[in-house]
Each structure stands twice: as structure tokens, then as C-alpha cells.
Amino acid sequence: MSAAPEPRTPAAAVAIGVFDGLHLGHQALLERARRRAGRDAIAVISFDPHPDLVLAKDFHPQAPLTPIPEKRTRLQAMGIDVLEVLPFTRELAALEPEEFVARHVVQPFAPRVLVVGEGFALGRGRSGNVPRLAAIGERSGFTVEAVPVVTLDGAPVSSTRIREQLAHGDVAAAARCLGRLYDLAGAVVHGDAIGRTLGWPTANVRLHDEKLLPRLGIYAAWVRIEGEAARRAGAMSIGTRPTVGGRATTIEVHLLDYSADLVGRTLDLELVEWLRPEAHFANLDELRRAIADDVERVRSLLVSGTRPPGPAATLPGRV
């Protein structure tokens, strides 16, 4: 058994959950914690890896929607004072709810209120449900508030729903559930200059952290360059570049009306709309014409403010 956490500055409100995505449901929970804390500190307890990876027999590992560094940054921007990431192990999962709360909630933070989702449970056999947590809280000096599930278009907002939307390339629907555009951030690295040879130079982006990639294909994206306030329109490709014999999945973006060298700088790519699937073209001339069409559709969508014609009008995966 690992040693108990050292006492910290008290947090008036503590919220517990995986918080992968920090979507509208998570935001509602954290807003409740913020209201209950008033001007006092708020702490979030999260887990890594995802509990299902440790406990579920048929769980297929997937990259997170919000890697830990991104989660920490976003929580800070939301006014959360502390993010405590607990290594999720079978040992942690086997703790009785009373022991978990004493060691990881009361001793570190001594909160006035514990905020969880209405279906939340922790501890041995998920026995630490909301009624049991409330009983523990009554003995330990805090109240428990359970926040209802947020629904959108008649269905619960969840990380699973967002993952399914991204798998179909439906980044617009994912953005509605997230309350923001889904984004990918990374550093620009040297590529093989094929885009420049074709007359459409691209920035090759290597992600800072492992993060779930949406459906392969071409996207309209807003690009934020490190150190610049303005955002720029970009035609972005996520794929293996089959026309030139590629194998590994790469992320490339052509910035409209921009030609400066970006190698070494960080780009934040906000995905606006899926335009088309990745395709194998017979030759480089066909590829060049396809890129030109992609760029014009991005210009129509992001610069001119008119929706581009073509397959973007039909959501991928729903034809």
C-alpha cells in the first residue's frame, strides 16, 4: 500500500472523474464545484490510465481526447486550482470507498463539498456510489452533490459519443459536445517537401502528446501559430499519403496565403469540417488538382464565409 498523500492547502470543493475531453457534461460539473467553492480553492481528482483499461476485459486502448498536459492547461483556464492525477491500478480500485475518500479526498484537501456525476461510483466493486459517498461525507464533514448528465439533441454528452463522432470525421458534431473545436497541437518538423514540389507547401506537424486522431482525410482547420494572436485558414491532411507510397500516419497543413518557414514552431490545429476521405491518385498531377480543390473549398468555408459544395454537405459515415 502506497503512503497517504501529504496534506495540502484545503480545497473547498473537490470534483472526481476521468474528465477525458472536458466536454459540456464535465464543464457543468466543474461549474457546480466553482459555485460551491465561491472564492476558495477547487481541486480535481482524475485518473491515469483510464480505469476501463485496467478493469474492463474487452476494452480496446485508445488515445485520450485530452492528454494530461492539455487537461491541466484547460482546467487552469477554467479556474481550477489543483489537478491531482492518481495512477489507476487494481490496488486503487480495490480500496473500500471509505478508505479512498479518507486518503485521497479528506486528508489532502478537507473539502466542504464533493462534486461527482450522478452515475459516479468508486472503490471495491464500484460500491462507492452517490448515496454511500453522501453517508461518508456526513461523517467526514462534507456534503456530496451529484450533477445530472448533460444531454444534447436528446442524447447524453459523453466521451464515448465524442469518440464516435470523431471516428466518422464529424468534427462539427464533436465541437458541439465539447463546447469548442477539437484541436491537435504539435511542433512543425522537417518533411520531404513533396507539397512544396507540387506547389502547395505544407507544415508537417508532430503532436506534443498522444491524442485521439479523427477519421483520416482532409479537413478545413483554423491554425494558430505559436506567438501569434490571429488564426489562419488551413487545409489539413491526416493520413498515410498513399499516392506517394506513404505508410505512417502523418499530419500536414497548408496555410492559405502564408509562406513563412514554420519549422520548430508550435501549431494548434482546430478542426472545423471534414471535406473528403484520403484517396490514392493515379499520378501527381491528379493529386495537385485535388489539393487545389481542397484549398478552394477551405477558402470558401473559412475565408469567404460560404459553405463549399461537395461531399462535406453529407456527414461522413452517414451516406
Side-chain angles (χ1 to χ4, degrees):
M1 188 74 67
S2 58
E6 292 295 326
R8 296 178 177 82
T9 301
V14 170
I16 304 181
V18 179
F19 296 105
D20 190 28
L22 289 175
H23 53 61
L24 294 180
H26 298 143
Q27 292 169 38
L29 192 153
L30 295 171
E31 178 58 29
R32 176 75 66 87
R34 184 164 31 243
R35 291 201 303 269
R36 294 297 178 262
R39 295 179 179 274
D40 297 327
I42 307 167
V44 164
I45 298 174
S46 187
F47 306 97
D48 186 58
H50 194 289
D52 286 344
L53 182 61
V54 177
L55 300 177
K57 295 180 180 179
D58 58 350
F59 183 76
H60 300 288
Q62 290 184 300
L65 298 172
T66 44
I68 297 299
E70 178 185 343
K71 186 181 296 186
R72 193 176 303 278
T73 297
R74 290 193 182 280
L75 287 172
Q76 288 174 345
M78 296 167 67
I80 304 303
D81 301 281
V82 178
L83 170 61
E84 179 78 8
V85 180
L86 300 180
F88 195 87
T89 62
R90 291 187 178 276
E91 180 185 47
L92 183 71
L95 290 178
E96 293 295 337
E98 288 79 3
E99 186 176 0
F100 181 97
V101 170
R103 292 170 58 83
H104 297 291
V105 178
V106 175
Q107 182 173 338
F109 303 112
R112 297 195 303 264
V113 61
L114 177 66
V115 184
V116 297
E118 63 180 2
F120 180 80
L122 57 77
R124 184 185 300 274
R126 292 179 54 82
S127 58
N129 54 20
V130 171
R132 187 164 176 179
L133 291 175
I136 296 170
E138 188 173 355
R139 298 191 298 270
S140 303
F142 63 84
T143 60
V144 174
E145 296 201 13
V147 178
V149 171
V150 171
T151 60
L152 183 65
D153 300 329
V157 173
S158 68
S159 301
T160 298
R161 180 180 176 183
I162 294 167
R163 287 174 177 276
E164 292 172 351
Q165 292 164 337
L166 293 175
H168 287 112
D170 196 350
V171 292
R176 294 185 64 224
C177 289
L178 287 166
R180 64 182 187 278
L181 294 173
Y182 189 69
D183 70 329
L184 302 168
V188 178
V189 298
H190 288 287
D192 51 20
I194 291 177
R196 187 172 300 279
T197 301
L198 295 172
W200 300 104
T202 60
N204 297 269
V205 179
R206 180 176 297 160
L207 297 184
H208 290 318
D209 301 289
E210 184 184 23
K211 184 170 179 173
L212 184 73
L213 293 180
R215 181 184 181 183
L216 302 187
I218 310 303
Y219 290 84
W222 288 116
V223 182
R224 298 181 183 273
I225 303 172
E226 177 186 16
E228 293 188 5
R231 63 182 187 178
R232 301 177 182 273
M236 186 177 76
S237 167
I238 303 176
T240 60
R241 306 188 302 168
T243 304
V244 296
R247 294 179 180 271
T249 300
T250 61
I251 301 171
E252 300 178 74
V253 60
H254 170 78
L255 279 68
L256 276 62
D257 308 316
Y258 187 86
S259 59
D261 184 11
L262 292 170
V263 171
R265 299 179 71 178
T266 290
L267 301 185
D268 186 65
L269 311 170
E270 298 177 318
L271 283 65
V272 178
E273 187 158 325
W274 183 89
L275 300 179
R276 64 170 175 86
E278 183 175 50
H280 182 281
F281 297 97
N283 53 58
L284 293 182
D285 285 338
E286 286 190 8
L287 175 59
R288 183 182 293 109
R289 288 192 292 270
I291 296 174
D293 289 342
D294 297 334
V295 169
E296 285 311 304
R297 294 182 64 202
V298 171
R299 190 180 300 279
S300 296
L301 180 64
L302 300 185
V303 181
S304 302
T306 58
R307 294 189 62 81
T314 300
L315 294 179
R318 300 185 184 179
V319 294

